[in-house]
Amino acid sequence: MKPVVLYNLCDVLTSCDLLRSTQNVSIREQVIMLLQIIGRNQRFHFIGSIYYRFVETIHRYFRIILKAVLKLYKYLIKDPRAIVLAEIMNNRRFYLYFKVWEQYQYFYTLIDYI
């Protein structure tokens, strides 16, 4: 991951007021810890030894950051009606792929109101 992408992710998390830096851990360090745990499949104990933090602290910040990143679904997940062309959506050849969309159309309308 390039540093620009990391900085943009941190900026998005702070601008949406989902994450704040604390006295002990900055936002960049929190996001980097999350990315190392998820991306490299490293354990909390190993991350704690790298950043000189207790495992409990790593676990606490992991949960906070993960919840913040999951709340970004409003900005990252787009409505399929806006993305897929009508000629593809109405084509019988692709019907199996959009079958799920017909079953859960009510669910997507609820997300729009939230």
Side-chain angles (χ1 to χ4, degrees):
M1 173 184 276
K2 293 184 180 181
V4 175
V5 177
L6 175 68
Y7 295 144
N8 288 340
L9 179 61
C10 294
D11 290 340
V12 168
L13 289 171
T14 55
S15 65
C16 295
D17 198 29
L18 297 173
L19 199 61
R20 291 185 212 136
S21 60
T22 61
Q23 183 178 1
N24 298 325
V25 183
S26 68
I27 292 176
R28 290 182 188 142
E29 187 176 349
Q30 294 174 19
V31 173
I32 289 171
M33 285 190 290
L34 173 83
L35 293 175
Q36 283 185 335
I37 292 170
I38 292 176
R40 296 185 178 178
N41 195 20
Q42 294 179 344
R43 305 291 180 237
F44 294 130
H45 183 72
F46 182 74
I47 299 295
S49 65
I50 292 174
Y51 292 102
Y52 300 109
R53 306 268 187 239
F54 289 115
V55 175
E56 177 187 353
T57 307
I58 301 294
H59 185 260
R60 184 179 336 117
Y61 282 109
F62 176 78
R63 291 180 60 215
I64 291 170
I65 302 160
L66 186 61
K67 287 179 184 178
V69 169
L70 290 176
K71 288 180 183 177
L72 289 176
Y73 77 91
K74 297 174 187 176
Y75 307 104
L76 298 176
I77 297 176
K78 304 294 182 192
D79 187 13
R81 291 176 287 189
I83 298 171
V84 179
L85 298 174
E87 56 198 32
I88 295 174
M89 187 80 128
N90 297 329
N91 193 344
R92 295 188 64 122
R93 186 174 121 192
F94 301 110
Y95 176 73
L96 294 175
Y97 301 108
F98 297 107
K99 191 175 180 182
V100 176
W101 165 250
E102 292 176 0
Q103 293 174 356
Y104 296 104
Q105 188 173 9
Y106 179 73
F107 175 73
Y108 284 111
T109 56
L110 285 177
I111 290 176
D112 291 338
Y113 292 116
I114 294 176

